[in-house]
């Protein structure tokens, strides 16, 4: 009876220990600062304003939903939980950009297992039938050395039905081994017109904990079975 109870308890313990090996944990908190364009006041006419949390180039800006000039409104396609503002490419430029660097060095142990994943998402769009668009990219670095990138695809004019608005794009993949930081880049491209009508909102970069490697899980299982064998032999000797 005692052996049976011990075996059952050990088996249950092994099951609990090995359960995470089958899948990685859930994605954590959003690591992008001001990913929703709400930190600061948006422009009411598409002009240039300060964009907190981001390093910007050209006339990259933040605009209020419903701003004059045909910008997206609160009822156009876009995030249900949109706030007051969204990102826009800005006046008189063919391309503009905003970037921010996220330090991932505290996660190095997990990242270096090769099993840590990321989720990069955002709402991107443009104006009516124009092909102006936004591109969201994560560039991974080990120190100052570039080691890879990830970017969700889609968001073309046809994808949004040739209407003003934003669509949700998402990309998931493994974080390159030895990554210590990631640069989030939001690029706005003008194809027609004078205003760069690349739009974006609710940007997110999240990391999922690494799963236990299969080899480690297998070793743990063998260790547990070996322990069961030792206990069984001791019981037989006592008997």
């Amino acid at each position: 009876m005692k052996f049976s109870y011990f075996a059952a308890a050990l088996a249950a313990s092994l099951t609990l220990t090995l359960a995470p090996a089958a899948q990685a944990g859930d994605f954590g908190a959003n690591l992008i600062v001001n990913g929703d364009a709400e930190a600061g006041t948006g422009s009411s006419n598409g002009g240039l304003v300060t964009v907190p949390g981001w390093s910007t180039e050209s006339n990259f800006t933040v605009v209020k939903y419903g701003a004059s000039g045909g910008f997206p409104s609160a009822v156009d396609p876009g995030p249900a939980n949109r706030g007051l503002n969204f990102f826009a490419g800005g006046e008189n430029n063919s391309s503009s950009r905003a970037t921010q660097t996220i330090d991932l060095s505290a996660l190095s142990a997990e990242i270096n297992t090769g099993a840590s994943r990321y989720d990069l998402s955002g709402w991107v769009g443009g104006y009516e039938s124009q092909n102006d668009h936004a591109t969201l990219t994560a560039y991974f670095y080990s120190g100052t050395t570039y080691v890879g990138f990830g970017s969700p695809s889609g968001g073309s004019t046809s994808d949004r039905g040739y209407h003003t608005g934003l669509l949700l794009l998402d990309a998931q993949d493994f974080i390159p081994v030895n990554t210590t930081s990631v640069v989030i880049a939001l690029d706005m491209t003008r194809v027609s017109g004078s205003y760069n009508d690349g739009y974006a909102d609710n940007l997110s970069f999240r990391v999922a904990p690494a799963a236990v490697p299969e080899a480690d899980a297998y070793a743990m299982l063998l260790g547990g079975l070996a322990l069961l064998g030792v206990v069984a032999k001791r019981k037989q000797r006592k008997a």
Side-chain angles (χ1 to χ4, degrees):
M1 274 301 277
K2 290 182 179 179
F3 173 69
S4 298
Y5 174 80
F6 179 81
L10 181 56
S13 176
L14 283 172
T15 300
L16 291 173
T17 302
L18 294 177
Q23 59 183 17
D26 293 333
F27 291 101
N30 183 11
L31 300 180
I32 295 179
V33 175
N34 189 27
D36 57 4
E38 296 302 307
T41 302
S43 169
S44 60
N45 60 6
L48 185 63
V49 298
T50 301
V51 187
W54 297 84
S55 296
T56 62
E57 300 174 18
S58 192
N59 289 328
F60 185 99
T61 191
V62 168
V63 179
K64 293 180 179 179
Y65 280 102
S68 60
F71 290 102
S73 70
V75 297
D76 283 320
N81 61 338
R82 74 189 78 188
L84 299 175
N85 310 317
F86 61 93
F87 300 107
E91 298 174 315
N92 303 316
N93 72 86
S94 59
S95 64
S96 63
R97 162 180 272 207
T99 60
Q100 66 174 263
T101 301
I102 301 172
D103 183 5
L104 298 178
S105 59
L107 302 175
S108 291
E110 290 187 345
I111 290 173
N112 290 341
T113 66
S116 285
R117 299 175 297 141
Y118 72 86
D119 179 276
L120 177 67
S121 66
W123 290 79
V124 302
Y127 175 73
E128 293 188 348
S129 61
Q130 292 183 1
N131 291 316
D132 297 8
H133 59 275
T135 304
L136 178 63
T137 309
Y139 296 98
F140 298 97
Y141 289 85
S142 175
T144 58
T145 302
Y146 167 75
V147 293
F149 79 98
S151 181
S153 60
S156 67
T157 308
S158 59
D159 288 339
R160 53 184 172 82
Y162 305 97
H163 296 297
T164 298
L166 296 86
L167 299 174
L168 177 62
L169 303 182
D170 184 88
Q172 295 183 10
D173 206 343
F174 292 99
I175 300 175
V177 171
N178 295 324
T179 292
T180 56
S181 65
V182 59
V183 175
I184 305 299
L186 180 58
D187 290 289
M188 307 301 206
T189 302
R190 185 191 73 197
V191 178
S192 58
S194 60
Y195 195 91
N196 186 338
D197 285 296
Y199 307 143
D201 200 358
N202 285 17
L203 311 180
S204 173
F205 178 84
R206 300 180 296 152
V207 175
V212 177
E214 290 184 6
D216 292 349
Y218 183 64
M220 292 164 63
L221 177 60
L222 290 180
L225 293 175
L227 181 58
L228 281 173
V230 170
V231 173
K233 287 182 179 179
R234 288 180 178 175
K235 290 292 183 179
Q236 289 174 355
R237 289 174 182 172
K238 289 184 178 180

